[in-house]
Amino acid sequence: IAGITQAPTSQILAAGRRMTLRCTQDMRHNAMYWYRQDLGLGLRLIHYSNTAGTTGKGEVPDGYSVSRANTDDFPLTLASAVPSQTSVYFCASSDSSQASEQYFGPGTRLTVT
Amino acid sequence: DAKTTQPPSMDCAEGRAANLPCNHSTISGNEYVYWYRQIHSQGPQYIIHGLKNNETNEMASLIITEDRKSSTLILPHATLRDTAVYYCIVRVVWAGTASKLTFGTGTRLQVML
């Protein structure tokens, strides 16, 4: 069982380009999340999804979009990347129980030049 | 959202107990206390959580004060592999089943020989 995987591991992207970060989980968790981590700021929630077909905005959603066509996949898209989106991006998932823990992927390191 | 306060860093000798404090004086009655850790460059890892009773699992113990305004994570026999940033989080339920986790800057624990 892989748990939760992310791709790519790292990417250097020119400003203005479009980029999709992929996230897949095999735990059949209903809820999924995208966080970004910047030095000195901890992890901040970008978007989340309660279940397939629904999404919601987190703390820092601007410049990002997500979709949840099925239970397993939760891609994050940067429509037109900007240097301030240089960060490490983590995807996570959890089941629907009230006090469930979140499982995190290994992260994607994105550099926007 | 209840805010947490943690010391920025702590040291611990290998083999000794590591006691990591967290203050969450504004916690409300239905909010859980979660602990995660992040080993360098990896995704955060769930450790333990509790509501008001002390909890223990194979990784750690969580001691929550009776007034729930503070808690302590205890790693009973710290090893070098426990060197990480430890995050104390008060869990807020957002918009249904997805559970928003607000990560602060955590405590950087350095386990030394």
Side-chain angles (χ1 to χ4, degrees):
Chain A
I1 295 176
I4 186 162
T5 59
Q6 294 183 235
T9 302
S10 65
Q11 181 76 44
I12 298 173
L13 185 68
R17 297 297 295 268
R18 180 184 180 89
M19 175 76 189
T20 295
L21 308 185
R22 299 185 298 278
C23 175
T24 300
Q25 53 104 358
D26 62 4
M27 298 174 282
R28 307 304 294 172
H29 285 168
N30 282 327
M32 296 188 74
Y33 316 80
W34 274 105
Y35 294 86
R36 61 176 288 173
Q37 186 171 33
D38 304 293
L39 194 63
L41 292 177
L43 283 90
R44 293 180 292 170
L45 183 66
I46 304 171
H47 284 287
Y48 68 95
S49 169
N50 285 326
T51 188
T54 69
T55 63
K57 294 181 179 181
E59 299 173 71
V60 289
D62 294 343
Y64 305 95
S65 64
V66 291
S67 62
R68 188 88 184 277
N70 57 60
T71 297
D72 298 344
D73 301 301
F74 190 42
L76 176 74
T77 297
L78 290 67
S80 179
V82 295
S84 62
Q85 292 177 311
T86 293
S87 188
V88 180
Y89 291 86
F90 290 101
C91 180
S93 70
S94 66
D95 71 22
S96 302
S97 65
Q98 183 179 11
S100 60
E101 60 264 31
Q102 292 186 15
Y103 294 85
F104 284 79
T108 293
R109 183 175 296 275
L110 180 67
T111 302
V112 182
T113 61
Chain B
D1 297 359
K3 185 176 178 179
T4 61
T5 304
Q6 299 177 253
S9 63
M10 293 182 65
D11 293 334
C12 178
E14 189 177 34
R16 305 295 294 269
N19 296 281
L20 293 95
C22 180
N23 182 287
H24 32 77
S25 58
T26 60
I27 193 170
S28 62
N30 61 351
E31 289 178 317
Y32 287 76
V33 179
Y34 277 74
W35 283 84
Y36 282 75
R37 73 180 182 183
Q38 188 173 23
I39 296 170
H40 180 64
S41 297
Q42 299 180 20
Q45 176 190 22
Y46 165 83
I47 301 173
I48 198 167
H49 72 275
L51 183 61
K52 55 184 177 180
N53 297 321
N54 297 338
E55 302 287 344
T56 296
N57 63 20
E58 65 277 5
M59 289 182 68
S61 294
L62 174 61
I63 308 299
I64 302 174
T65 58
E66 190 169 346
D67 63 8
R68 302 211 323 124
K69 292 184 177 182
S70 65
S71 61
T72 300
L73 178 74
I74 301 172
L75 307 179
H77 305 287
T79 70
L80 296 176
R81 288 177 294 180
D82 292 321
T83 293
V85 178
Y86 287 77
Y87 297 97
C88 169
I89 300 163
V90 175
R91 175 182 170 274
V92 176
V93 177
W94 253 27
T97 57
S99 305
K100 173 180 176 286
L101 294 179
T102 300
F103 286 80
T105 52
T107 295
R108 183 173 297 278
L109 175 69
Q110 180 68 53
V111 180
M112 303 173 296
L113 289 171

